[in-house]
């Protein structure tokens, strides 16, 4: 497939990588049209990130090709995590969740899907359990070469990251993560989670409609909410300009990556990496 020849659309490695105890860990994050390969140290500091756009979708063959390149093929990893950003998840109150019913819960919401392994994450901070589907082909391939592989979901990790980064903003908080054609939204009001889900979009109008509809549904005053945006959206994009028209307290949520280390590629700024680094905080 030609998509296997596509280089990463953006990548990052610190000028002085953390050595720590010398152990490396691997996180493979996937969505409908991208793969992110993150190598990190035991203290969760980043060693390298590569993001691959995959216009024909994600499959195990693509992942095998990438991990077979010179950069990865001879590496060993202590931990291996497969993180899904797919929208096929549902949040269940922790006090009524029963693990043996996870498949039934998933199938009730999303149907009996082929090539999906049902898994769940406990999100204790919100007293929720996130039930979701994992691409079985990707999981089985990783498991075959790294038996220690475990699965997690981006929504679970983004909810945990709020407790690490945004406790002071829980009165009215809107977080928005952009990937290709999907928008992951987390909405908090009065320290209560209102919405946490990925929604499909194609145009700027789709994005604005989804957001304003949510604010109206949950009776949130757009003049009071703190809005943080990150992911694959450019500061010159029409979507960003439109968002600024509606939301008064809005900003990019920059990552811990120093901007001067990204200066060679002016199209990429710190907030591109924020969702991926939030994953590493919480896995």
């Amino acid at each position: 497939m030609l998509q296997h020849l596509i280089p990463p659309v953006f990548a990052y490695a610190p000028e002085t990588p953390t050595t720590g105890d010398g152990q490396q860990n691997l996180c493979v994050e996937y969505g409908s049209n991208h793969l992110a390969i993150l190598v990190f140290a035991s203290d969760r500091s980043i060693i390298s990130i590569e993001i691959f756009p995959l216009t024909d979708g994600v499959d195990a063959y693509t992942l095998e090709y990438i991990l077979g390149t010179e950069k990865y093929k001879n590496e060993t990893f202590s931990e291996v995590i497969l993180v899904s950003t797919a929208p096929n998840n549902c949040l269940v109150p922790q006090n009524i969740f029963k693990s043996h019913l996870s498949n039934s819960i998933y199938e009730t919401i999303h149907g009996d899907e082929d090539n999906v392994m049902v898994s769940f994450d406990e999100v204790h901070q919100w007293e929720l359990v996130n039930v979701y589907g994992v691409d079985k082909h990707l999981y089985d391939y990783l498991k075959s070469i790294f038996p220690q592989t475990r699965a997690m979901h981006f929504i679970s990790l983004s909810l945990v990251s709020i407790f690490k980064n945004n406790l002071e903003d829980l009165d009215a908080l809107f977080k928005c993560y952009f990937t290709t054609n999907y928008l992951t939204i987390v909405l908090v009001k009065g320290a209560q989670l209102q919405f946490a889900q990925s929604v499909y979009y194609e145009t700027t109008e789709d994005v604005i409609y989804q957001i304003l509809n949510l604010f109206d549904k949950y009776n949130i005053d757009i003049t009071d909410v703190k809005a943080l945006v990150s992911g694959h959206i450019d500061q010159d994009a029409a979507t960003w300009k439109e968002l600024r028209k509606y939301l008064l307290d809005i900003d990019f949520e920059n990552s811990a990556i120093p901007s001067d280390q990204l200066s060679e590629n002016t199209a990429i700024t710190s907030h591109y990496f924020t969702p991926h680094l939030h994953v590493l905080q919480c896995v």
Side-chain angles (χ1 to χ4, degrees):
M1 287 181 156
L2 285 178
Q3 71 170 348
H4 301 148
L5 303 178
I6 298 175
V9 68
F10 58 91
Y12 168 77
E15 294 177 351
T16 307
T18 300
T19 54
D21 57 10
Q23 293 184 335
Q24 292 191 137
N25 307 288
L26 175 68
C27 177
V28 176
E29 176 195 320
Y30 76 92
S32 58
N33 294 105
H34 82 277
L35 270 173
I37 310 296
L38 302 92
V39 179
F40 61 101
S42 297
D43 64 357
R44 272 34 190 175
S45 60
I46 192 66
I47 296 173
S48 69
I49 305 176
E50 290 189 317
I51 315 296
F52 296 84
L54 301 170
T55 55
D56 294 332
V58 177
D59 55 58
Y61 179 69
T62 303
L63 179 58
E64 181 179 3
Y65 177 90
I66 293 170
L67 293 183
T69 59
E70 195 67 30
K71 181 179 178 66
Y72 302 107
K73 67 178 181 180
N74 294 320
E75 298 292 340
T76 58
F77 302 103
S78 298
E79 293 184 67
V80 178
I81 304 110
L82 178 64
V83 175
S84 170
T85 68
N88 56 343
N89 73 294
C90 54
L91 293 169
V92 182
Q94 196 171 44
N95 62 347
I96 65 171
F97 175 75
K98 305 295 182 185
S99 59
H100 67 278
L101 296 177
S102 55
N103 281 69
S104 298
I105 293 169
Y106 181 87
E107 291 172 6
T108 299
I109 304 297
H110 299 287
D112 185 9
E113 297 179 328
D114 293 332
N115 302 318
V116 168
M117 180 191 78
V118 177
S119 187
F120 63 88
D121 301 329
E122 295 183 352
V123 189
H124 300 292
Q125 294 88 341
W126 295 97
E127 298 181 349
L128 293 170
V129 175
N130 188 19
V131 181
Y132 57 93
V134 179
D135 186 301
K136 193 173 186 301
H137 295 308
L138 294 180
Y139 180 81
D140 287 348
Y141 166 68
L142 273 181
K143 194 80 172 174
S144 70
I145 57 173
F146 303 117
Q148 70 273 37
T149 297
R150 57 189 173 94
M152 298 194 77
H153 196 274
F154 181 79
I155 290 288
S156 311
L157 299 169
S158 65
L159 291 176
V160 174
S161 78
I162 288 175
F163 276 81
K164 292 179 178 287
N165 302 294
N166 307 104
L167 277 178
E168 72 280 6
D169 301 315
L170 293 187
D171 188 53
L173 176 66
F174 166 73
K175 297 194 77 170
C176 190
Y177 304 95
F178 280 85
T179 58
T180 304
N181 291 128
Y182 276 94
L183 183 66
T184 299
I185 297 172
V186 178
L187 189 60
V188 179
K189 177 185 178 183
Q192 298 295 314
L193 181 67
Q194 306 296 314
F195 185 87
Q197 193 174 331
S198 294
V199 296
Y200 181 80
Y201 76 94
E202 292 184 358
T203 65
T204 295
E205 289 75 17
D206 293 340
V207 173
I208 300 302
Y209 170 80
Q210 294 279 6
I211 292 172
L212 294 183
N213 185 54
L214 279 175
F215 283 9
D216 181 64
K217 179 178 180 180
Y218 294 105
N219 194 28
I220 292 177
D221 187 346
I222 61 174
T223 63
D224 291 337
V225 68
K226 182 177 182 63
L228 295 171
V229 176
S230 62
H232 309 173
I233 177 173
D234 191 81
Q235 60 186 358
D236 295 322
T239 300
W240 173 245
K241 293 176 181 178
E242 284 298 309
L243 285 171
R244 294 185 65 191
K245 292 178 182 178
Y246 290 95
L247 300 170
L248 300 181
D249 187 3
I250 185 172
D251 203 354
F252 284 123
E253 185 175 21
N254 288 326
S255 70
I257 295 175
S259 57
D260 61 344
Q261 293 190 23
L262 301 171
S263 59
E264 293 182 3
N265 188 347
T266 55
I268 302 301
T269 54
S270 179
H271 71 269
Y272 274 66
F273 297 93
T274 303
H276 312 294
L277 296 185
H278 279 183
V279 164
L280 293 191
Q281 279 187 328
C282 307
V283 290

